[in-house]
Amino acid sequence: MTEFLQLLVAGVSLGAVYALLALGFVVVFKATGVVNFAHPALLVTGAYATARLTSTYQWNFWLALPVGIGGAILLALGIQRFLVYPMAAQAVTAITIMTLGADLVVRTEVTREMGAVDLLAVIDPWGNHVIRLGGVVLPVTRLVALVAGIVLITAFFVWFKLSTWGIAMRAVAEDPETAALMGIRRSRVAALAWMLAGGLAAVAGLFLIVFPTPGFSSTTYVAAIVAFPAAILGGLDSTGGAIVGGLVVGLSVTLAQGYAHQLNFLGDNFYEVMPYVVMVLVLLVRPAGLFGTRELHRV
Amino acid sequence: MSWLTTPPTARQFSRVAVVGLLAVGLAAAGCTKKTDSPGAGGKLAAGPGVTDTTIKLGVLTDLSGPYAPLEKAVAQGRALYWEKQNNTVCNRTVEFVTKDHGYKVPDATAAYAAVKSDVLALAELLGSPEIAALKSDINSDQMLTGALSWSSANIDNPYIVIPGTTYDADMINGVQWLMDKKGIVKGDKIGHIYVEGEFGENGRAGSKVAAAAAGLELKEYKIGATATDLTAQITTAKADGVKALLITTTPAQAGSAVGVAVAQGLEVPIVASGPSFSGTLLTGAAKAAVEKNMYITTSIAAFSSPGAGTAAVKAALTAKFGADLAKSQYGLLGYAQAQIMHTILDTACKNKDLTRAGLLKAFQSLTEVKTDGVLPTLDYSKIGGIPARSSYILKPNSATEGGLDQIADLFTSPTAITYTPKK
Amino acid sequence: MSDTRLRPWYFTVAGLALLLLIPLNKDSFYDQFNLYFPLTTQTFWLQLGLYAMAMVVAALGLNLLLGQAGQLSLGHSFFVMVGAFTYVVLAGAEKNTSTIHWVGLSWPPLLAAICAVLMAGVCGLLFAPVAARLRGIYLGIASLGLVFVGRHLLLNVWPEFSGGSNGRDVPRFELFGLKFVTAPDPSERLYLGNVALGREELLWYVFLLVVIGAFVYYRNLVKGRPGRALRAVRDRELMAGIIGVPVARYKGYAFLISSMYAGLGGVLYALAAPSRVSVDEFGFILSVELLAMVVIGGLGSARGAVFGAVFVWCLKPVLNQYAEAGSIPFLAKPGGSGLEPGVAATFIYGAALVVLLLIEPGGAAAVGRRLVRTVRRAPAGPAPNNTPNQ
């Protein structure tokens, strides 16, 4: 029973990180209609910057973190302003593919910057401390991730529902033409959406390179790819769906790893395809994701 | 190309016919079988890449991918060794033809195709998947290859030079050490976390044999190549009640496993295969856990090994590269691997046969290759056997140069002495 | 084609002749005819060309799916993988040692190749109902899932088919008794003049035939009724349904044909491989590369797909080759300082994706058309009839 509880806790805390990732992805889609394949690049930039600043240059963590997040936000803004915005008239597929190219370039550059080092540790204040609740061990970093996730997500939803910019973004997502007629600048809203995505990705990235992971490495970006099925299964245009999707993916992957012996008949390392299997199962029942809106088609 | 969709006009058709007939005619006119006359040999039989003044060796390695840091250290060691030989063997200068495959198999096969007619042998080929992909070509081209992989799956190819003890034998020795020094007794459960692929599979093959021989119950936990967080596996291992852990994964994965084990209170000794350790594990949060419970089983001496031979190599490396030196045991390995290749070339030279077949003969005649104490004495004369069976036990220590202290000198477990890897 | 000066077919024939003669540039073949033929043709380049031709076929398939039918598929490499491994399993021999367990049926290679293509098509048909239910990016990501699930199945559930993480040997191709291998004994080889026709040379000609056939079939399909129906489904799906185009059937058709192309590309890839293929060569990265090939070439353009495939596939090995010789100034020689060629290649084609889409979303095909138009600014005759969707 302890084992199950332990896996549950680990899964939910991982799910919170994935939820942040998926949320950033969905925000961009809702506001601009673009599927942002450069999301892994945003995650990697933020995580790498923080790791590099704290370990090689020995900055204070609380100084390095905002700079790292800022770097990801700047990158996101750069991509939006110089690459996506000029292509606003093009088909969304083209823009999506272009973000793939941008992702490739950024990730290659970060790998190059890593240099002859295979692992870059982050000097964070929580280290490998844990708290024990009953028989269950929860790393402090994961607790912080949960709390940060809850805070950020709540703040985001409050802002989304109540603030002027949030309403503007929802307006643009719902009916861009009318929103434009009402004086909402699409480019501003788009820029804001991308900046949000950058920030959320960077925060998620931080939690993917602290304990229980030893640091930033060449496989860190792989975790970001999980954001895609998480966002899809929740519904690509639903911010609530993104949270649910992230949690579902985090939980299912952790449980699949923990019960790998029992799941042996599905092949070794089945947990690697778990997000996609869950996603396909959901899509078969609800083709637009759990909370997504079904597309209406104009003749 | 209107003739594709509408019937061709007579003129268009005749043009195409002329071209087609020309091509067919060329082909038909030329097809014959022909005998070839082999080149005449000089006083020394010479293979490809050998002239009167030079010998060319190939290096197919990873300069831009995940193992680039490792390769940097190896290259430094190799450079040092050949510098000491004045870059000469058999009165000829040694030239290296280096290609970067970035740890991708198609790039490696392309690089191999590019160099194979120009070089006598491969001084280095890095990567288990690359070696697996090129194995049959290596065989048919008779290309002696200095492999940078210790998988015993390669012993079925006589041209592959393994620089040390194989992963499975290392693990057998590791399990033995756990029983001798860490209180593991018959009936205990031990867990092995291993990564998918030849590296992990080979380590696990060793632990399976060791566990069976010692009456231990082995729990296996396989992970994917891109896994970064091993919380779930450690949770299961703890629930399974293991008394010790074995690890054959990448360093990042090992760091996660060791850190989580300590955090979850799984205070058991952890023995990892050589490539599962990297100096970068001693930075950051993983450091304390890694220094506490982790041990490495490998046949490569630690960078700061107490042996006189290795100390001399280390001093020479430091003198040559200064601040740019990659302080790692893989520098020593590069040196040793170059030494093995030099010994082979030297022996072949004495036999007056610098052809590929001659290199093979020379290689298989070596019964005691010493590498200044970096590796155990290697015996390459047993075709289809592993060249060495002993391992060091090293312990991570951030205060030591190279990050590893030697806590057990080379030893061979009784199980390892009689162990034959399955072919 | 009303212009009398530069007829397109001159270029086509010249190009074909060039391709036919490339493998023969060895051992002073051309000296016999007092001809000078400058292209270097060591085995390395032929090998590269074989892989590139396999990618051309696969890219044509994706072009059909994405460019003509408008279905975003990130899972194309899955069908390539199915084609490759079906061929290997059907044509290969069974092998059972203590570390290797391969299932093989030892069928004649030609039969195995045909069945492999059909199998890929079947998989495409099986995926089509899923595709019909999904739209746009949902389809894209679901097809991405196909790549990961397929990899898992072949690698972990059926390693006896795929050889596991080390891959498995590819059986040599054989046609009517002619074995496509490079015989170790020079006197056993087939000769054209004084040029030995080894594995790569023989495969080159077969591949060329296959690629030309695939290209021609694609053009016919696109210009004909199926092409028009697919474009109707792409542009105005609901409207197409209203005017009587069986939308679901054509979507299925698009998947069937494109996955057969992918399967054929997979078979060619396996044949091109010097010894082994492994599952990891057909992953997410290959899917992205195929997408890049099609986009860089120009969505919907067959010639564009050919260009894109050759460009994306050959970029890195070519850069590697010339960087090692020190011919490219800013690139590092192996082990030296500076930009690694492998890294530079990724930069270039990533940047090409970005820049091309920014400036000319029609890809290289559109660039090509613009060039042709400026060259052909002839006073006589109307502008050449370039249909926008070829």
Side-chain angles (χ1 to χ4, degrees), chain B residues 1-5 11-12 15-16 19 23 26-36 63-64 96-101 104-107 109-111 113-118 128-129 132-137 140 153 156 196-198 201 222 225 421-423, chain C residues 1 7-10 12-13 20-21 29 33 42-44 47-48 51 97-100 151 155-156 165-166 169 186-194 197 215-216 219-220 223 269 274-276 278 280-281 285 313 316-317 320-321 324 333-335 340-343:
Chain B
M1 294 223 272
S2 58
W3 55 272
L4 281 175
T5 44
R11 229 170 49 156
Q12 288 170 325
R15 280 192 197 125
V16 175
V19 173
L26 257 176
C31 278
T32 55
K33 282 201 189 228
K34 191 173 146 178
T35 51
D36 208 62
L63 296 169
S64 55
F96 291 101
V97 180
T98 311
K99 295 265 182 212
D100 174 22
H101 61 58
K104 295 208 186 82
V105 169
D107 294 2
T109 45
V115 303
K116 72 174 181 188
S117 351
D118 294 338
S128 304
L134 287 170
K135 238 166 149 176
S136 33
D137 273 326
S140 51
D156 57 351
E196 67 180 353
E198 194 172 275
E201 297 280 348
K222 190 170 176 182
K422 300 205 192 118
K423 284 214 217 166
Chain C
M1 323 263 176
R7 292 200 173 232
W9 79 263
Y10 293 164
T12 314
V13 169
L20 282 171
L21 298 174
F29 176 78
F33 307 105
Q42 341 152 16
T43 313
F44 168 74
Q47 176 73 63
L48 195 64
Y51 273 127
T97 66
S98 56
T99 45
I100 289 176
R151 172 189 179 272
L155 190 64
N156 294 318
S165 45
N166 275 343
D169 292 338
S187 61
E188 293 285 318
R189 299 182 193 162
L190 202 63
Y191 279 83
L192 191 65
N194 56 349
L197 290 181
F215 186 86
V216 168
R219 292 275 284 237
N220 279 345
K223 284 200 171 141
Y269 184 97
S275 57
R276 282 194 177 199
S278 71
D280 278 320
E281 297 174 53
I285 293 181
W313 187 265
K316 198 187 315 192
N320 261 320
Q321 194 70 347
E324 195 242 315
K333 301 182 74 159
E340 292 293 336
V343 174

Side-chain angles (χ1 to χ4, degrees), chain C residues 140-181:
Chain C
I141 309 263
S143 57
L144 183 63
L146 206 58
V147 173
F148 288 113
V149 171
R151 172 189 179 272
H152 172 75
L153 284 174
L154 268 178
L155 190 64
N156 294 318
V157 180
W158 297 316
E160 58 267 21
F161 290 163
S162 66
S165 45
N166 275 343
R168 66 182 280 179
D169 292 338
V170 182
R172 291 293 136 222
F173 194 62
E174 225 181 279
L175 200 58
F176 311 123
L178 174 64
K179 282 198 211 259
F180 284 60
V181 292

Side-chain angles (χ1 to χ4, degrees), chain A:
Chain A
M1 192 55 188
T2 332
E3 186 189 355
F4 177 72
L5 278 175
Q6 179 72 67
L7 290 172
L8 202 67
V9 164
V12 168
S13 56
L14 183 63
V17 177
Y18 288 155
L20 285 174
L21 266 176
L23 185 62
F25 190 65
V26 164
V27 162
V28 167
F29 181 79
K30 261 186 94 103
T32 63
V34 170
V35 174
N36 177 19
F37 275 113
H39 212 61
L42 299 175
L43 176 137
V44 152
T45 306
Y48 171 77
T50 316
R52 181 58 92 183
L53 288 173
T54 54
S55 63
T56 312
Y57 300 110
Q58 288 167 347
W59 283 25
N60 183 313
F61 175 78
W62 296 108
L63 203 55
L65 183 64
V67 173
I69 297 180
I73 291 180
L74 266 174
L75 176 68
L77 196 59
I79 294 179
Q80 193 274 329
R81 191 126 290 266
F82 297 115
L83 299 181
V84 176
Y85 181 64
M87 282 186 77
Q90 303 296 342
V92 161
T93 323
I95 307 181
T96 302
I97 294 170
M98 190 271 298
T99 58
L100 258 172
D103 178 61
L104 210 53
V105 170
V106 171
R107 281 198 293 108
T108 310
E109 177 57 27
V110 170
T111 312
R112 214 171 69 83
E113 294 282 334
M114 278 271 280
V117 170
D118 56 350
L119 193 68
L120 203 57
V122 167
I123 319 292
D124 62 280
W126 310 297
N128 48 0
H129 297 302
V130 294
I131 57 175
R132 288 166 213 280
L133 312 154
V136 172
V137 170
L138 179 66
V140 174
T141 50
R142 281 293 160 84
L143 180 64
V144 174
L146 256 171
V147 170
I150 294 175
V151 166
L152 282 171
I153 291 169
T154 319
F156 172 82
F157 275 113
V158 167
W159 172 85
F160 207 50
K161 276 258 167 338
L162 301 177
S163 85
T164 329
W165 276 110
I167 297 175
M169 195 177 288
R170 282 192 292 139
V172 166
E174 197 166 304
D175 190 336
E177 274 133 21
T178 314
L181 285 171
M182 306 268 290
I184 296 175
R185 295 250 244 130
R186 281 184 73 174
S187 60
R188 290 264 173 93
V189 170
L192 187 61
W194 276 83
M195 284 167 66
L196 264 171
L200 287 168
V203 172
L206 169 71
F207 290 117
L208 286 175
I209 59 172
V210 291
F211 188 76
T213 305
F216 180 82
S217 71
S218 55
T219 46
T220 303
Y221 84 93
V222 174
I225 301 184
V226 148
F228 304 149
I232 293 271
L233 83 87
L236 203 48
D237 59 343
S238 161
T239 42
I243 311 298
V244 172
L247 284 169
V248 166
V249 168
L251 205 51
S252 57
V253 164
T254 311
L255 286 173
Q257 284 183 73
Y259 293 111
H261 282 140
Q262 288 83 336
L263 291 172
N264 229 339
F265 64 96
L266 288 168
D268 290 335
N269 291 338
F270 177 70
Y271 73 88
E272 287 186 312
V273 294
M274 192 66 161
Y276 296 96
V277 169
V278 175
M279 176 191 77
V280 167
L281 288 173
V282 168
L283 285 179
L284 284 175
V285 177
R286 299 187 64 109
L290 284 171
F291 302 103
T293 46
R294 301 206 60 171
E295 275 182 26
L296 296 169
H297 292 277
R298 293 232 150 82
V299 171

